[in-house]
Amino acid sequence: MKSTLYFTCLALLLSTASCEKEGDEEQKAKLEGSIRPWSENPAYWEYKGEPVLLLGATDNDNLFQHPNLKSHLDSLQAIGGNYIRNTMSDRDPGDLRAFATNEAGKYDLNLWNEAYWQQFDSMLHWTAQRDIIVQIEIWDRFDHSRQEWLSDPYHPANNINYSYEEARLDSLYPNHPGANEQPFFYTVPALDDNPLVLKYQQSFVRKLLDHTLGHDHVLYCIDNETKGEDEWAIYWTDFIKKEAGDKEIMLTQMWDDWDIKSDMHRRTLDHPERYDYIDMSQNSHNTGQLNWDNARFIFDYIQSNPRPVNSTKIYGSETSPWTNRGIDEQHAVETFFRNIIGGFASSRFHRPPAGLGLSASSMDALKALRKVEEKLKFWELSPRMDLLSEKEENEAYCAAKEGEKYLVYFPKGGEVMLDFSTLTGNASLQWLSVTGAEWLSASEVSGGEAIQLRSPVDTGAIAVLVKE
């Protein structure tokens, strides 16, 4: 009897241990499947255990509110796109609001508009099906100032939950939100300490997380291009990570300063323990060689502790408000290629009218980079401008794994010398046209010395050289 009891207990213990081990392995596999810095090179993203380069071009900021979202995602996927931006914004005509209204048409910040959240769920579901990574911006300053404030659910006149006096909010904030005059972004304890409005802000973030934490393809960003106080960002970073519990999430803040070397951006750069990746979208306000050089500053700055650097917005189109500064279609395409050649983990064309969205030019750019990826992977390369000579400003950009693989991008036409001295034997040279994303020619070149590269077209081309 004792012997039978002993073996029964032993079998139960072994079974329990086996189940716990299987559970641990299942949990580990799930964590390893989520979007996270790549274990072998944390400057790039890893998803489902494999390194991935994130490329995107979409027509809305708040893509979950797009009327033809499913087909838009299909179009993006068809050209190799796997990255979208999604602000939790509701200011455009026809957008749904997050909160329900009563019979008088006033919002109740304690009740949800389920149609809004259903649209959000659909976006999460359809992107997961297509392995498209979603970068969510939780707060957008443009929703809460100027004309948009007048219809905002958080505006005291529009809800049943608080008065102007109770909320310490005014009826008008007529200036550009960059002026930072909106107390909505000062509610946290370290700033204005406004627990009444903060309570509803917390509720919104919790609701958002209820929908996102079950997914592994979501990146989080606190604000859209903010000039707000650091304490606001710190509060929400701590709040979100605490609410996420055991779920590992990737979170950052997007600062507004166009000078990405400024102290404002160092709030993120200096705190890898707080911010898991970096968004440098605002660098696309800088044109030509400066766009490249500023990015190199960032990569040098974080060299000892690399993280993925994203660019969820590339500005520039013929309808942008900054064409007088050269922020046009050519600039957008150039920036897209400079970003990826320079080591960015993601790049996405901004929505019209300030960006190209999902257009002929942006589609060609995505397709061109995916064709290059068939020959080499960008995480195999490092920016190597020192290998180019006889080069003018903004004429050509180089990345290489010296002695094996080289890539040279010509934004327009051009002719440079490439140091090929460390490559022994021969290499294949293939030219890809940026316009049309078509291979133009292929030839063989010899290593051991510098070679001349002349772009075959003046509309943008990429030279890909791989040791045979």
Side-chain angles (χ1 to χ4, degrees):
M1 182 69 177
K2 290 181 179 179
S3 176
T4 302
L5 181 61
Y6 169 79
F7 284 111
T8 300
C9 292
L10 179 61
L12 284 171
L13 286 170
L14 291 173
S15 175
T16 301
S18 176
C19 289
E20 288 177 351
K21 183 178 180 181
E22 288 176 4
D24 291 343
E25 290 176 351
E26 182 179 342
Q27 178 67 13
K28 181 180 178 183
K30 184 171 179 60
L31 287 173
E32 290 177 347
S34 62
I35 185 73
R36 63 200 316 195
W38 184 23
S39 57
E40 295 184 26
N41 183 351
Y44 286 91
W45 292 109
E46 172 186 315
Y47 182 54
K48 294 186 176 179
E50 298 293 333
V52 60
L53 181 67
L54 304 184
L55 305 178
T58 45
D59 288 346
N60 282 49
D61 291 346
N62 53 340
L63 204 62
F64 78 111
Q65 303 253 25
H66 194 286
N68 301 303
L69 175 57
K70 201 170 185 179
S71 61
H72 201 56
L73 294 174
D74 286 338
S75 298
L76 178 65
Q77 184 185 36
I79 58 169
N82 60 350
Y83 175 56
I84 68 167
R85 174 189 184 219
N86 189 84
T87 62
M88 302 305 297
S89 176
D90 56 10
R91 68 180 181 271
D92 295 333
D95 281 356
L96 296 175
R97 304 284 194 174
F99 305 99
T101 56
N102 63 14
E103 292 180 356
K106 285 203 170 188
Y107 293 100
D108 185 342
L109 303 184
N110 291 311
L111 297 177
W112 303 112
N113 177 5
E114 292 305 326
Y116 173 98
W117 296 104
Q118 181 56 55
Q119 285 192 171
F120 186 56
D121 274 340
S122 294
M123 180 274 295
L124 292 170
H125 176 68
W126 291 335
T127 48
Q129 283 183 328
R130 292 158 177 79
D131 287 337
I132 293 174
I133 303 302
V134 179
Q135 183 170 320
I136 292 175
E137 289 157 32
I138 299 171
W139 306 112
D140 190 338
R141 61 185 185 170
F142 290 96
D143 285 348
H144 307 290
S145 289
R146 300 187 297 194
Q147 191 69 23
E148 287 72 23
W149 176 240
L150 301 182
S151 60
D152 192 333
Y154 292 100
H155 190 296
N158 299 332
N159 68 59
I160 64 171
N161 306 98
Y162 48 64
S163 66
Y164 289 111
E165 292 75 18
E166 290 169 332
R168 290 181 257 160
L169 294 170
D170 206 344
S171 59
L172 296 173
Y173 295 100
N175 295 323
H176 188 283
N180 293 326
E181 297 170 345
Q182 171 55 287
F184 183 87
F185 295 101
Y186 287 81
T187 57
V188 301
L191 296 172
D192 286 354
D193 192 15
N194 184 341
L196 176 58
V197 177
L198 181 61
K199 175 182 70 171
Y200 294 109
Q201 293 171 328
Q202 291 172 333
S203 178
F204 177 80
V205 173
R206 286 194 182 101
K207 179 67 171 177
L208 182 150
L209 293 173
D210 284 345
H211 289 262
T212 60
L213 290 178
H215 294 276
D216 295 327
H217 67 300
V218 178
L219 300 171
Y220 298 85
C221 181
I222 297 166
D223 287 281
N224 170 40
E225 56 181 52
T226 181
K227 287 185 178 177
E229 299 299 324
D230 199 19
E231 290 83 358
W232 167 267
I234 292 171
Y235 176 85
W236 287 112
T237 300
D238 293 343
F239 180 88
I240 292 165
K241 290 193 173 185
K242 183 178 179 181
E243 289 293 318
D246 294 334
K247 174 76 172 185
E248 182 184 37
I249 64 169
M250 301 293 115
L251 189 149
T252 197
Q253 175 66 306
M254 186 199 301
W255 305 106
D256 184 43
D257 200 327
W258 296 356
D259 177 9
I260 63 172
K261 296 182 288 186
S262 71
D263 289 344
M264 183 180 289
H265 288 285
R266 292 177 200 238
R267 298 172 180 175
T268 300
L269 299 177
D270 289 343
H271 291 282
E273 81 286 355
R274 180 176 301 140
Y275 301 111
D276 306 283
Y277 68 104
I278 298 161
D279 192 285
M280 280 296 158
S281 295
Q282 297 308 92
N283 190 42
S284 71
H285 273 292
N286 299 300
T287 60
Q289 190 75 41
L290 180 61
N291 175 262
W292 171 272
D293 292 343
N294 279 0
R296 299 308 335 133
F297 169 86
I298 297 302
F299 282 98
D300 290 342
Y301 193 91
I302 65 171
Q303 187 174 15
S304 62
N305 197 337
R307 284 170 281 168
V309 177
N310 284 10
S311 179
T312 196
K313 294 186 290 186
I314 294 177
Y315 299 105
S317 70
E318 299 313 313
T319 56
S320 94
W322 310 290
T323 53
N324 62 318
R325 295 195 296 109
I327 311 297
D328 53 17
E329 180 175 329
Q330 177 67 24
H331 163 74
V333 172
E334 287 185 19
T335 299
F336 181 76
F337 286 103
R338 277 192 296 258
N339 282 355
I340 300 304
I341 294 167
F344 277 66
S346 84
S347 276
R348 170 193 163 270
F349 289 97
H350 191 36
R351 50 100 181 125
L356 290 176
L358 192 62
S359 60
S361 295
S362 64
M363 291 168 72
D364 279 351
L366 263 73
K367 288 188 287 186
L369 276 183
R370 293 305 185 197
K371 286 191 174 184
V372 171
E373 274 196 307
E374 295 171 3
K375 309 296 181 182
L376 50 78
K377 300 300 183 185
F378 286 92
W379 47 78
E380 299 173 333
L381 312 178
S382 300
R384 292 297 305 273
M385 295 294 281
D386 59 301
L387 297 177
L388 300 181
S389 59
E390 300 182 18
K391 182 187 77 68
E392 297 179 3
E393 186 174 287
N394 199 42
E395 183 179 12
Y397 297 90
C398 178
K401 183 179 182 180
E402 196 173 2
E404 297 182 27
K405 302 173 183 181
Y406 301 77
L407 183 150
V408 180
Y409 165 58
F410 292 84
K412 298 177 182 177
E415 181 179 323
V416 300
M417 298 299 293
L418 172 66
D419 183 351
F420 227 39
S421 60
T422 59
L423 186 140
T424 58
N426 297 325
S428 64
L429 166 61
Q430 292 180 278
W431 285 98
L432 180 72
S433 172
V434 168
T435 303
E438 296 293 338
W439 292 108
L440 298 174
S441 63
S443 60
E444 187 178 271
V445 292
S446 298
E449 59 184 6
I451 62 170
Q452 184 183 68
L453 291 177
R454 178 183 295 172
S455 176
V457 295
D458 60 6
T459 53
I462 298 172
V464 179
L465 302 99
V466 179
K467 179 181 172 64
E468 292 180 345

